[in-house]
Amino acid sequence: MAILPFLLFWVLLALVSTIFVAPFLLRSFARIVGRHLRLNTQERRSQIYQRVRTEETKLSTKDGKLGDADVDWYTMESDAVDATARRESKDWDGIVGFFHPFCNAGGGGERVLWAAIKAIQTRWPKAICVVYTGDHNIEKTAVLSRVADRFNIHLHPPTVVFLYLSTRYYVLSSTYPHLTLLGQSLGSVILAYDAFQLLIPDIFIDTMGYAFALAFSKLLFPKIPTGAYVHYPTISTDMLDSLNEGGQGLNAGTGKGLKGLLKRRYWRLFSRMYGWSGGQVDVVMTNSSWTRDHIRSLWGPSRSRRGKSSEVDVVFPPVAVEELEEQIEVSLESENQRERIILYIAQFRPEKNHAMILEAFSSLVNSTSSTSGPTRLVLVGSVRNSDDAKRVYELRLLAHELKIKDVVDFVCDAPWPNVLDWLRRSWVGVNGMWNEHFGIGVVEYQAAGLISVVHDSGGPKADIIVVYDGGPTGFHATTKEEFTEAFEKALSMSPEETLPMRLRARASAKRFTEGAFAERWIGQMQRLVDLQVGVED
């Protein structure tokens, strides 16, 4: 019996060591790794500054400096930014690292990335924006040309730098047949380490949703400010609820039995890990009030424990509202020029629910109602990889099976002028995704004067297709039957009914302009710059 207290002493000592000493050792080891990475990348940092100066010199001879048109792109001064901080950091010339491994995808997330870089170039012209990307088959000139064609965003080339990651494989969902969320999140840590082997930035911003990468950055480099622009929470209470019978989304109704029970527990454990990671981030932005509410719920407790005083702010994504207003007329005369086209602008991803829209459209086409008339469905979206290409092929097969292939058009990787043309011609704009985080395409529908039919959830429901100026700005639907009914209603409205709705929708869309995004982005970015230069207390 005398040996029992001795054993208890060593057990308690081991527990205390595990709880208090192990984290200290981990942090110390991480700091050593961080210092090693910083030393190893100093030469590349110097090379980048030298390359930027060389490109600036070459471009200046061609009158390539930022002109008045660039400066007027948005109102630079934000009331939210302290004037003293502006004076002390206006000439900031540091490096902003954007963690965006799929920068050439051409979707709404990429519009945010390029608009953010544009805003930084305008406010801090000496700053360098480094994009960590896994797109090895791209060249800067071609990418920036595509950005100009697709988004009408013209960037200053010298201060945009691409660094190419070799481990993007670790964040692909196809890499993890099981435990996909955890695998991709831990894979983002490997990818972040890959990025830091190339260059240590002065400010590190994730614009794709890799919270674990930001936490890893804080572990290695505690003094480097981190920012997150969250398009969609990696996990949410809605996802957990979707496991129930009658749920929605890709995992609807999969919570039954032992496998379902294990999945619930796995997701709950992951949500705690996700919340801890979010607690490490200095500045957090979300693209909608729906995303903000979920991020507050998931990250809020951890952020409070770590004394992160900054609020989670909504920074609506930039939409080319002004250009759409200039290019597309919305009037009684233009009503006669619109065709009976239902337009769906979205990447060809599973969650966009193209299949349901095809089925709802098929029901409309086969309807005996005299108000239907000849109508076309046009699906416009980018094809990022072979998986997307396969998905388009399967959707074409579905259109053939539904006997609607002759009235369905697939428009892949369309340049911006082509998208404008479809927006000008179409009557209805549709979005079929459950819990769409925001819905840039929906705002484009509004600005172009389309009658929107959107899923009754997420950002389109909470922020975009809302009552404005005392009247509706579109229709909501959930099921295939409801979408068919909404299509029918929208297409059967008279010009006297559609024009007021189109005008209300266009006026409502002014909340989501590129200028509004830039101003709010600069307000948040200023806080990161202040942290980096030591302006904030």
Side-chain angles (χ1 to χ4, degrees):
M1 295 296 293
I3 198 170
L4 185 59
F6 179 77
L7 290 175
L8 286 174
F9 168 77
W10 284 107
V11 168
L12 288 172
L13 182 61
L15 287 173
V16 169
S17 299
T18 301
I19 295 171
F20 296 104
V21 179
F24 171 77
L25 293 176
L26 176 63
R27 287 193 296 270
S28 299
F29 177 73
R31 304 297 188 273
I32 293 172
V33 173
R35 285 194 292 271
H36 175 73
L37 289 171
R38 193 181 292 277
L39 286 173
N40 283 358
T41 58
Q42 277 300 111
E43 184 177 353
R44 177 175 280 112
R45 185 183 181 92
S46 299
Q47 291 172 349
I48 287 174
Y49 274 105
Q50 181 60 45
R51 187 192 313 165
V52 169
R53 285 194 294 268
T54 301
E55 290 186 18
E56 288 277 17
T57 301
K58 290 181 180 178
L59 198 58
S60 63
T61 62
K62 301 177 183 179
D63 195 27
K65 295 181 179 179
L66 289 173
D68 294 337
D70 294 303
V71 176
D72 292 338
W73 184 62
Y74 66 87
T75 303
M76 287 176 55
E77 298 301 322
S78 169
D79 293 338
V81 182
D82 181 75
T84 302
R86 287 196 198 102
R87 288 194 298 273
E88 294 187 17
S89 63
K90 65 181 180 180
D91 295 325
W92 187 74
D93 60 353
I95 295 177
V96 183
F98 285 92
F99 194 62
H100 203 107
F102 299 87
C103 74
N104 206 33
E110 287 65 58
R111 180 186 280 276
V112 168
L113 169 67
W114 305 122
I117 291 176
K118 176 69 173 180
I120 290 172
Q121 287 186 332
T122 308
R123 178 64 189 276
W124 293 281
K126 295 181 181 179
I128 298 173
C129 294
V130 169
V131 180
Y132 298 100
T133 177
D135 295 307
H136 283 251
N137 59 338
I138 63 174
E139 191 269 333
K140 182 165 78 171
T141 302
V143 173
L144 299 189
S145 176
R146 187 185 183 199
V147 170
D149 291 341
R150 175 66 183 90
F151 302 120
N152 197 32
I153 296 175
H154 300 272
L155 298 172
H156 185 58
T159 54
V160 179
V161 176
F162 291 96
L163 294 180
Y164 301 99
L165 306 171
S166 60
T167 55
R168 193 173 71 177
Y169 170 83
Y170 289 104
V171 297
L172 298 177
S173 59
S174 58
T175 306
Y176 309 98
H178 307 288
L179 303 179
T180 308
L181 291 178
L182 181 61
Q184 287 182 287
S185 296
L186 295 179
S188 72
V189 174
I190 298 174
L191 197 61
Y193 184 76
D194 187 3
F196 297 141
Q197 285 184 306
L198 298 173
L199 179 73
I200 311 302
D202 298 306
I203 293 172
F204 188 54
I205 301 176
D206 165 56
T207 46
M208 281 202 71
Y210 296 117
F212 282 49
L214 293 173
F216 183 58
S217 174
K218 272 297 178 187
L219 187 63
L220 296 177
F221 316 105
K223 294 184 179 180
I224 291 182
T226 55
Y229 188 93
V230 186
H231 295 273
Y232 198 86
T234 305
I235 193 165
S236 66
T237 54
D238 287 353
M239 285 178 63
L240 289 168
D241 292 341
S242 75
L243 297 175
N244 299 328
E245 189 173 353
Q248 298 187 58
L250 299 177
N251 295 279
T254 59
K256 299 178 182 178
L258 177 61
K259 185 177 179 181
L261 176 63
L262 292 175
K263 190 165 192 172
R264 287 179 191 275
R265 292 187 176 179
Y266 156 55
W267 276 9
R268 288 195 178 99
L269 174 61
F270 179 81
S271 69
R272 287 196 286 272
M273 297 172 65
Y274 182 61
W276 176 86
S277 299
Q280 315 302 311
V281 186
D282 293 308
V283 173
V284 182
M285 297 166 272
T286 66
N287 64 344
S288 69
S289 58
W290 182 89
T291 306
R292 177 201 60 200
D293 293 344
H294 282 279
I295 290 298
R296 280 177 175 172
S297 174
L298 291 161
W299 293 8
S302 179
R303 292 178 62 76
S304 297
R305 287 195 297 271
R306 284 163 179 77
K308 300 291 185 182
S309 58
S310 62
E311 181 58 276
V312 177
D313 288 326
V314 176
V315 179
F316 289 126
V319 186
V321 173
E322 299 98 328
E323 182 184 1
L324 288 166
E325 289 179 337
E326 293 174 2
Q327 296 286 336
I328 299 176
E329 180 184 358
V330 178
S331 65
L332 196 57
E333 292 74 19
S334 66
E335 288 292 290
N336 298 323
Q337 300 173 6
R338 290 192 180 270
E339 304 171 35
R340 297 175 66 83
I341 293 174
I342 298 174
L343 180 66
Y344 192 3
I345 300 177
Q347 289 180 325
F348 290 103
R349 304 204 310 260
E351 61 270 23
K352 295 299 183 180
N353 219 352
H354 288 88
M356 184 186 72
I357 298 304
L358 283 169
E359 292 170 356
F361 179 68
S362 175
S363 298
L364 176 73
V365 170
N366 295 320
S367 171
T368 58
S369 172
S370 60
T371 59
S372 294
T375 308
R376 300 192 69 84
L377 173 65
V378 178
L379 307 177
V380 177
S382 59
V383 177
R384 303 166 298 168
N385 48 43
S386 58
D387 288 340
D388 285 358
K390 179 182 177 182
R391 198 166 295 114
V392 172
Y393 175 73
E394 291 170 346
L395 290 170
R396 290 182 186 274
L397 289 180
L398 177 59
H400 181 78
E401 292 171 6
L402 295 171
K403 297 180 173 56
I404 56 173
K405 67 181 182 65
D406 293 332
V407 287
V408 176
D409 297 306
F410 290 85
V411 183
C412 301
D413 297 319
W416 180 241
N418 288 16
V419 176
L420 274 175
D421 186 55
W422 284 114
L423 288 166
R424 185 180 295 108
R425 294 165 55 190
S426 299
W427 190 278
V428 173
V430 62
N431 183 290
M433 179 178 170
W434 172 67
N435 271 347
E436 172 78 86
H437 42 283
F438 178 67
I440 286 179
V442 179
V443 178
E444 290 175 344
Y445 300 156
Q446 286 192 319
L450 277 68
I451 303 298
S452 297
V453 177
V454 302
H455 199 284
D456 192 26
S457 63
K461 176 185 180 180
D463 293 319
I464 306 174
I465 306 302
V466 296
V467 173
Y468 186 85
D469 197 21
T473 54
F475 298 93
H476 300 97
T478 303
T479 65
K480 177 184 71 174
E481 293 76 17
E482 290 175 354
F483 272 95
T484 302
E485 182 181 353
F487 292 157
E488 184 81 32
K489 288 180 180 177
L491 291 166
S492 63
M493 294 169 66
S494 67
E496 290 74 20
E497 295 173 302
T498 56
L499 183 58
M501 183 178 286
R502 296 187 200 279
L503 292 173
R504 282 196 301 271
R506 168 167 278 194
S508 175
K510 292 182 183 296
R511 297 173 293 146
F512 311 112
T513 63
E514 291 172 325
F517 167 82
E519 184 175 355
R520 293 189 67 85
W521 175 272
I522 286 300
Q524 300 301 313
M525 185 66 199
Q526 181 72 56
R527 293 165 57 195
L528 289 169
V529 171
D530 291 345
L531 283 171
Q532 201 277 326
V533 299
V535 173
E536 288 190 347
D537 295 333

